[in-house]
Structures are given as C-alpha cells and as structure tokens.
Amino acid sequence: MDGEHSALSGVERERERLPPIYNSSPPAGLGRGAKQPFPSLGTFISTLSQRRDMAGRGLAGGIMGNLTGNHGLRHGRELPPICSNVRQKHRLSIDTLPPEVKAPFPSDPIIPLRTKTTKEFQEDMEHALQSGDWREVREFYLTTFDSFIEINAAFKREANGLFNTIEDSGVNTKFVNAVYDALLNTPQDIQKSVLKGIINSLLREWKGPRTKDDLRAYFILVQNPQYSSTSTYVIYAHLLRQIAALSEADHHFLVHWFKKLSARRFRQLVERLLQFISTRLFPAEPDEFPPLSKCAWWIPSATKVLSLFNAANSVSSPPIMSFTDFYNITLEHIDFMEDYRSWQNYGNSNRFSFCQFPFILSTVVKKAIIQKDSEQQMISQARLTRKRCDLKKKLRVTFVGEAGLDMGGLTKEWFLLLVRQIFHTDYGMFTYMKDSRCHWFSSWKCDNYSEFQLVGTLMGLAVYNSIALDIHFPLYCYRKLLTPPTVPCDQNALVGMANATLDDLQQIMPELAHGLGELLSYEGNVEEDFYLTFQVFQEEMGVVKSYNLKPGGDKIPVTKQNRKEYVQLYVDFLLNKSIYKQFAAFYHGFHSVCASDALMLLRPEEVEMLVCGSPELDMSALQKAAQYEGYSKTDATVRCFWDVVLAFPLELQKKLLHFATGSDRVPVGGMADLNFKIAKIDVPTDWLPISHTCFNQICLPPYRTRKELKQKLTIAISNAEGFGLE
C-alpha cells in the first residue's frame, strides 16, 4: 500500500491545483443541499484502501459516503435540450468555464504503443478461465483503465492518429466490446481495480478544454457494463457529470459516435441511464444512496447525457429505437405539474426540470399536463371575464329519443358519429386519398372557413375529454399543428407553415411524390422531355385552375439546374399554400381548446396519439386488465371468449373494441386505462352479446360452446351502429 500511495501522490498534488467545486441547482421539487467541500484525493484513496475487500456492495459501496457530497465540478457548458419543439427562451443557458480552467493547456502527450489485439485478449481470457491464472488479464485491465491516455493506447486504432471527424471515432469497437463483455466474468479484485482506475482517471483528467482523445475516453468509459449495478452509481454519476459538462461542439461529436454503436448496445446504454434516473428518484432502500439534497446533480447529469442518445437516435435514419423507448414511466409518479411550473417560471435559468428534456416524459404525463394546464387557464379566464358560461366543462351528451345517462359512452358515440359525417366526401371539406388511406384538406376556396375551425375545435375537445377519434390524418398534419406549438400573439403571423419535403408528400400523395422523385433523378434533357414550367394546375369543385409557383412561373421552364427548386415549391404549394386558410382556421380551432405551453413538449406523433389513441392493439394486455362481474376468469364462457378474441383478425378485434368501448383505438394510458369489464347476463343463449359503452362493458349470455360464442359475438360486433341501454 505504501508503494501505491507513493505512485498516487503526484495525482493528489495535481488534484489540489484543480478549480474549486461548485454546486448545481437541484431538480424542481427534489430538494437542495448546502455546498460541501470535496474530500482530498489522499482521503479518497485512503478510504478506497480501507474498504478494498468489503463484501457485498464492493468498492463503490465502500466509498459511497466520500463521493457524494455536493461537490460537483462546475459545468463548463450546460447541455441544451435536444428538442426542436421547446422554445428558445426555455433552453438551458450556456455557461463559460471558470477562469481557473482557462489556464494554458499543455500539448497532447504521446500515446504509448499497445499491440494487444482482440484475438490475443480473448485467448488470454480463455487461458485464465481454464487455468485460474489471471495475471495477464489482471495486468491488462489495471493498465488500460489507469488513465485517459492508457484507454486511448488500448482502444484507439492508431495510437497517435488524429481521428478528428464526427464520422469516425477512431475506436476499435470490436476490441472495446470484447473487453467489456469479458469484464463481468473476471474475479472481483479485477473488477474493483477497473473502478478504482476510472475514479483516478476522472479526478486526474478534469482540466481545461477537452481533446478528441479525451472524448474517446469518455465515449469508451460510458459503455462500461459495471454501471448496471447500483453499487457503482457514485462513480457513474461523476462520469455522467463530466460528460454533461462538455462543450456543445464536443457533444456534437459524441452524438455522431453514439449513433454508430450497434442497436443492441445503444439500447443497453439508454436503458441503463433510464434505470439510473428511476433508481435515484425511488431507491429500493431509503439509505441506499446519499440524501437527494446532497447529490442533486445526479439526475440532471444523467438526463443531459440521455439527451445525447436521444439526439443520436433522431439523426439516425431510420431511428435506432422508437421515441417511446426514451420514456421514463417512473416520472408519472412525481409531481410533474410542479416540474412543469418550474419550467415555465425558470426555463431560462440553470434550474433543472424534466420539461427541458421532453423526450423523457411519456404521453401520459404530457396529456395530464395539457389537461390540468387548460383547466387552470379556463378558471383564470372565467374569473377575469366573470362569464361562467364560457368555462369549458366536460361534455355531457343526450341523444334524442334514446335512453342513457352519459357516463362517457354517449360522448364517445357522439364524437364518432359526428366525425364520420364531417369527413364524408359529400361535405367536400376533406379529400380521401385512396393510395395513402388518409384524409387531406380540400383546396377549394370559399368566403367562410368556420367549418374548418369547428373541426379543429372538436379535435381539441376530444383531447380535453380523453376521447380517441377515428381520424386518419397524415403525420405531417400534426407537425403543422405544432407550427408553432402555441398561438402567436401577432394575429397576422403565419401558422401551420411547416417545412414540407418530398417524404411528407409521400405520406399523402405517394404517386405524385414518386413522379417528382423521378424528375429529380432523371438523366436526360429535363426541359425538352418533361416540358414543364413553374406553373401547376389543380381541380377545385370540378374546375381546373392554374397557379404560378413563383412570379412569372408560367414563363419559366423547368430545367436540370432548377428542378430541385421546382419540386420544393410544388410540394410547399400542395401541403401549405394551397390550403393555408383552411388549415389556419383548423389550427386556431384546435388551439382554442388545447391552449397550453405543454404543446411545446410534444412530438407530432404524440399529438396524433392524443387525438386518435394508438392503433396498436394488444388483446393479451386487455385480457390481463379485464374485470369480471358475474363471471370469473376461469369460467368456461370467459375462456371461450378470450380464445375467440385472441384468434380474431385485427379488423374484428377493432370491431370488438369499438362495440365495447365506442372507439377502436387504445387510449394513451394503454389497455389498462379502459377499465374493460365482462359481465354475465342471465338470458337465453340465443341472444346476442350486449355492450354498455358508458362503462366499457360487454355483457355475455352463458354460451356453452366456443362455436356458439364466436358466431353470436361476430354478428354483434359487425352490426353495432347506434347506442342503447338494456
């Protein structure tokens, strides 16, 4: 141990010269702690030595208390949230490095040459596992993780190559994977030595601007599988803090390096970060970690690093993971309204809130925020105007000539029938695109666009009343609804003018998009062979009209040189300019109900889910969540019911859901939110099943056979228009 202390004395002296430690603001509602001094490296290493052979929680558990005071290194730069929907004034500010860190930085050291290959390392591991002789493997791990320089020496493809591009990290990925895959199969003393080396590296290397070799070290260290264990969370937190504090330019490199990881390893890193956040918020044991007030920077650091992975996912085509895989459902159990208010009030400060990083919030949370925020706005408006009749309330519907107390089912039925009528081709408001199986706005001109405003209002009311609508708009429509996400104060400001691409047109008019794509790739003489000008023709109510895409467009031929401009103007005309008044009215109608800053937190896909619910049906999940009245889940009739339903094709499953609930879509909260119930009805078995959409309930006679149940159920769900109560 004396030799070890001697070897580390230089590091301790270096640590004393580092800049002072600063505290960061805690997450909203998560408490704040007083600043405490960072323990000296000597104390730190001494504690490591004393706890070296502790059983149970290992090295990291032994040093937990010494590492987790409010001793965070000041962020050189705060990471802005990677989300285009969050307005600029609510982005995190960018701080400058403390003066102490700006001291002259020595030139990059020469990286020592290491020659071990992946194959040689794997042979060493195989020998160690068979013989029990771990000396060679132990020496490799001790050396490799001793410093950032050694990490680069081991894993950089060319020791002193530059590799200063976002396209190539210069890391031998295969070797990194092999070393980490083997690590958890090594003896505990080797695993502890790796953690000790990482701690020393993080303390030693915290200084000045980062080199690309430093970035490579961070890129490699964050992939360490040891961080899946809560006993290493203290070390993991410090690593995340240093990564989060890197400059925006450095983050740019990491984003592009992360996206080159395999899908499996990328997902593992994302899930590890999400688990870290969840466990820090809700630890399994009260004393598992230091008080939250003493390590308030843990969650902000992890969330900022997670945003780099979210950015990497967003710039990948196709995305590596679904955007919903970045949701942390644990956040559904925090006071998210306090977090939202903090974001509204302190969005331009260094005060952390999850709303600064909306990708982590599930649609359930966002929907709840929109509803509660809208309610608060309506209450405030009612108090100001003293017009209680203007206060928006939950809808209650009564059908003339039909019995029924509206517990939600009548409202759903009313919405479904009304929407079906509005989108009928006889009205001419929307055109059904057969190729894409979606509706789009008719371009006909009129003096009054109030009907489009009404449709937007109905859509907003459906969101407010938690009704899933059977509407088939393309995703681009919801992007337009978020352009901008809140209504501009200037009444003359343009709305709904989202940037339109050929991919967007593909969602709506695939045949036309294909033709324009061929124009762009045509190798021949564009002007002579296509004979086009910057003028387009459109049929409106049986009349063909011409429109210039730019001034004098009918006199400007389309050539190989200007065809990209022609396509861009044509797409913009079809998806924006030709329907501007219609969509503007629709936009203002929707936002008249859903008027909330929380819309800035949403992706277009999430708006679609709020409006329509999810089309993805999981009948097994419905079976697990089902409740029973008069039956039990083991009764023969119930078993036959689920056998039949699970074997139904998707179309019949949708009809069943519509029959029982009034909608064929799944609510934002999933099947469990339906409160679906199967009840027994004591009638002859020649009766058909009956539903009560008010209660999401289906009533089944005691059918004796599977064949009988299937026949009667199929007839009932296929002829279920209208509403009535038994």
Side-chain angles (χ1 to χ4, degrees):
M1 289 304 297
D2 291 338
E4 185 177 71
H5 278 290
S6 175
L8 290 167
S9 61
V11 178
E12 182 174 355
R13 289 195 297 274
E14 177 65 27
R15 182 66 189 86
E16 298 301 325
R17 294 197 292 272
L18 296 185
I21 310 303
Y22 297 89
N23 184 34
S24 62
S25 299
L30 299 184
R32 312 178 72 160
K35 301 175 184 176
Q36 298 180 3
F38 193 97
S40 70
L41 187 60
T43 305
F44 186 77
I45 299 301
S46 175
T47 306
L48 293 185
S49 302
Q50 294 170 13
R51 305 295 178 92
R52 184 172 183 176
D53 297 321
M54 277 189 65
R57 296 170 68 179
L59 174 87
I63 62 174
M64 185 80 71
N66 285 329
L67 269 177
T68 53
N70 259 355
H71 54 265
L73 294 168
R74 182 177 177 84
H75 287 189
R77 285 177 181 265
E78 292 287 347
L79 174 64
I82 312 295
C83 180
S84 59
N85 293 337
V86 181
R87 55 186 169 187
Q88 185 65 32
K89 77 172 191 174
H90 278 182
R91 294 172 72 88
L92 289 170
S93 62
I94 298 178
D95 296 333
T96 57
L97 288 165
E100 300 92 329
V101 180
K102 296 181 180 178
F105 190 64
S107 58
D108 292 343
I110 300 298
I111 295 176
L113 184 63
R114 300 283 182 258
T115 59
K116 189 175 289 292
T117 65
T118 305
K119 183 179 179 181
E120 290 170 344
F121 171 79
Q122 290 172 331
E123 290 173 349
D124 290 343
M125 273 296 298
E126 187 176 350
H127 172 74
L129 287 168
Q130 291 177 353
S131 67
D133 183 359
W134 290 91
R135 285 176 296 179
E136 188 73 24
V137 173
R138 181 179 289 106
E139 180 61 27
F140 171 81
Y141 278 110
L142 281 171
T143 303
T144 298
F145 292 94
D146 182 61
S147 68
F148 279 17
I149 293 176
E150 290 292 349
I151 290 172
N152 276 274
F155 298 118
K156 198 173 176 182
R157 291 202 305 273
E158 297 176 18
N160 290 293
L162 292 177
F163 297 110
N164 286 337
T165 69
I166 61 174
E167 299 302 325
D168 185 3
S169 66
V171 171
N172 185 338
T173 303
K174 184 179 179 181
F175 195 14
V176 172
N177 294 342
V179 170
Y180 278 147
D181 289 344
L183 178 56
L184 298 184
N185 296 320
T186 63
Q188 282 296 308
D189 69 301
I190 294 179
Q191 296 186 39
K192 291 180 181 182
S193 70
V194 169
L195 293 173
K196 180 177 177 181
I198 292 173
I199 294 168
N200 292 336
S201 296
L202 293 176
L203 292 178
R204 183 187 300 117
E205 301 294 342
W206 183 254
K207 54 184 178 181
R210 316 314 300 170
T211 67
K212 293 301 177 288
D213 285 334
D214 293 332
L215 292 189
R216 261 181 287 278
Y218 286 127
F219 174 65
I220 293 166
L221 287 177
V222 81
Q223 299 179 52
N224 188 332
Q226 292 177 288
Y227 304 136
S228 295
S229 170
T230 56
S231 65
T232 65
Y233 272 14
V234 174
I235 305 170
Y236 191 30
H238 279 268
L239 171 63
L240 296 177
R241 188 174 210 182
Q242 291 195 17
I243 295 175
L246 295 170
S247 71
E248 189 170 349
D250 290 339
H251 285 151
H252 181 67
F253 273 82
L254 287 177
V255 163
H256 286 272
W257 292 351
F258 285 148
K259 81 173 198 176
K260 299 294 179 67
L261 294 170
S262 70
R264 181 175 68 87
R265 294 185 188 275
F266 186 94
R267 179 179 291 274
Q268 287 175 345
L269 298 183
V270 169
E271 291 175 349
R272 191 174 297 152
L273 283 162
L274 289 170
Q275 185 62 34
F276 176 86
I277 294 169
S278 298
T279 307
R280 174 62 276 192
L281 281 172
F282 300 102
E285 300 293 337
D287 299 327
E288 186 172 10
F289 304 118
L292 194 56
S293 60
K294 292 188 176 181
C295 52
W297 46 271
W298 280 31
I299 290 173
S301 297
T303 307
K304 291 168 188 175
V305 174
L306 185 62
S307 73
L308 299 180
F309 284 91
N310 180 63
N313 193 58
S314 298
V315 298
S316 299
S317 184
I320 303 168
M321 301 167 56
S322 167
F323 68 91
T324 59
D325 291 333
F326 284 85
Y327 291 164
N328 190 324
I329 58 174
T330 304
L331 302 183
E332 295 173 12
H333 305 288
I334 68 169
D335 188 349
F336 48 76
M337 287 309 296
E338 181 181 350
D339 187 272
Y340 174 68
R341 287 189 290 268
S342 174
W343 174 66
Q344 286 187 304
N345 297 330
Y346 304 101
N348 201 34
S349 70
N350 288 331
R351 187 181 178 90
F352 171 82
S353 68
F354 285 111
C355 286
Q356 292 169 314
F357 305 90
F359 64 84
I360 199 174
L361 300 174
S362 71
T363 316
V364 172
V365 170
K366 292 168 183 173
K367 177 182 177 181
I369 291 174
I370 289 173
Q371 290 178 327
K372 292 178 183 295
D373 191 41
S374 296
E375 288 171 5
Q376 289 298 317
Q377 289 186 40
M378 289 183 286
I379 292 171
S380 300
Q381 290 170 6
R383 287 172 178 167
L384 289 172
T385 61
R386 298 184 181 278
K387 293 182 180 178
R388 300 299 295 179
C389 59
D390 290 341
L391 181 62
K392 297 173 204 162
K393 300 177 181 177
K394 294 288 184 182
L395 290 178
R396 292 290 180 264
V397 173
T398 302
F399 284 95
V400 176
E402 293 196 26
L405 177 63
D406 188 9
M407 303 297 291
L410 292 173
T411 300
K412 287 189 288 186
E413 181 84 353
W414 178 76
F415 268 111
L416 288 167
L417 294 174
L418 185 59
V419 165
R420 195 169 300 162
Q421 290 298 314
I422 288 173
F423 283 86
H424 198 282
T425 54
D426 290 349
Y427 282 88
M429 294 176 64
F430 299 95
T431 302
Y432 183 69
M433 304 293 182
K434 292 183 180 180
D435 290 343
S436 56
R437 302 179 67 184
C438 70
H439 285 97
W440 192 242
F441 295 77
S442 296
S443 58
W444 54 268
K445 306 297 185 290
C446 65
D447 296 329
N448 189 346
Y449 294 94
S450 58
E451 289 88 351
F452 288 98
Q453 184 169 354
L454 174 62
V455 177
T457 302
L458 285 171
M459 234 170 74
L461 284 171
V463 172
Y464 184 71
N465 285 272
S466 300
I467 305 295
L469 298 179
D470 189 19
I471 289 179
H472 300 278
F473 280 133
L475 186 62
Y476 181 69
C477 174
Y478 299 100
R479 184 139 61 87
K480 285 169 71 69
L481 269 180
L482 294 176
T483 311
T486 56
V487 179
C489 298
D490 182 1
Q491 294 183 351
N492 296 319
L494 295 176
V495 296
M497 296 291 285
N499 180 47
T501 67
L502 204 55
D503 288 338
D504 297 320
L505 186 65
Q506 179 73 30
Q507 299 174 15
I508 307 164
M509 308 172 191
E511 189 174 344
L512 177 57
H514 177 72
L516 292 174
E518 287 190 333
L519 170 64
L520 290 175
S521 61
Y522 189 66
E523 297 292 339
N525 190 312
V526 171
E527 184 175 357
E528 292 183 1
D529 295 348
F530 283 86
Y531 202 67
L532 294 171
T533 65
F534 276 71
Q535 183 183 56
V536 295
F537 300 90
Q538 198 167 47
E539 183 179 339
E540 298 174 8
M541 306 297 284
V543 179
V544 177
K545 296 185 178 180
S546 62
Y547 296 92
N548 285 346
L549 297 179
K550 59 193 297 188
D554 57 325
K555 304 291 195 301
I556 305 173
V558 177
T559 66
K560 197 169 187 176
Q561 288 70 37
N562 64 17
R563 59 184 173 179
K564 285 186 179 179
E565 180 190 13
Y566 169 80
V567 170
Q568 180 57 47
L569 290 174
Y570 194 8
V571 172
D572 186 60
F573 171 80
L574 290 171
L575 303 188
N576 286 320
K577 292 180 179 176
S578 67
I579 60 163
Y580 178 76
K581 291 184 178 179
Q582 294 90 321
F583 193 88
F586 176 79
Y587 172 96
H588 286 291
F590 179 81
H591 286 269
S592 68
V593 181
C594 294
S596 171
D597 286 345
L599 287 172
M600 287 185 257
L601 308 178
L602 295 175
R603 297 169 57 102
E605 297 92 338
E606 293 171 324
V607 180
E608 181 180 28
M609 288 178 65
L610 291 180
V611 172
C612 305
S614 171
E616 301 297 326
L617 303 188
D618 184 352
M619 286 300 174
S620 296
L622 184 65
Q623 181 183 15
K624 291 177 182 177
Q627 304 169 34
Y628 301 95
E629 185 178 301
Y631 284 119
S632 71
K633 64 181 180 180
T634 58
D635 287 339
T637 302
V638 171
R639 292 203 308 270
C640 287
F641 173 83
W642 288 115
D643 286 345
V644 168
V645 170
L646 292 174
F648 269 161
L650 179 61
E651 197 58 39
L652 282 181
Q653 289 181 343
K654 286 188 173 184
K655 287 185 176 181
L656 170 69
L657 201 62
H658 181 274
F659 175 72
T661 70
S663 171
D664 65 358
R665 299 292 187 103
V666 182
V668 165
M671 287 293 195
D673 276 10
L674 283 174
N675 295 317
F676 178 70
K677 181 181 287 186
I678 298 176
K680 185 175 184 179
I681 179 171
D682 291 320
V683 296
T685 55
D686 59 350
W687 280 45
L688 296 176
I690 297 169
S691 69
H692 299 307
T693 59
C694 302
F695 306 105
N696 294 335
Q697 183 182 71
I698 186 169
C699 301
L700 295 176
Y703 299 118
R704 289 182 291 272
T705 67
R706 184 179 185 277
K707 180 179 179 181
E708 184 181 31
L709 187 147
K710 180 179 181 180
Q711 180 189 21
K712 294 292 195 296
L713 183 62
T714 303
I715 294 172
I717 65 178
S718 300
N719 299 273
E721 188 73 15
F723 186 93
L725 286 176
E726 290 296 322

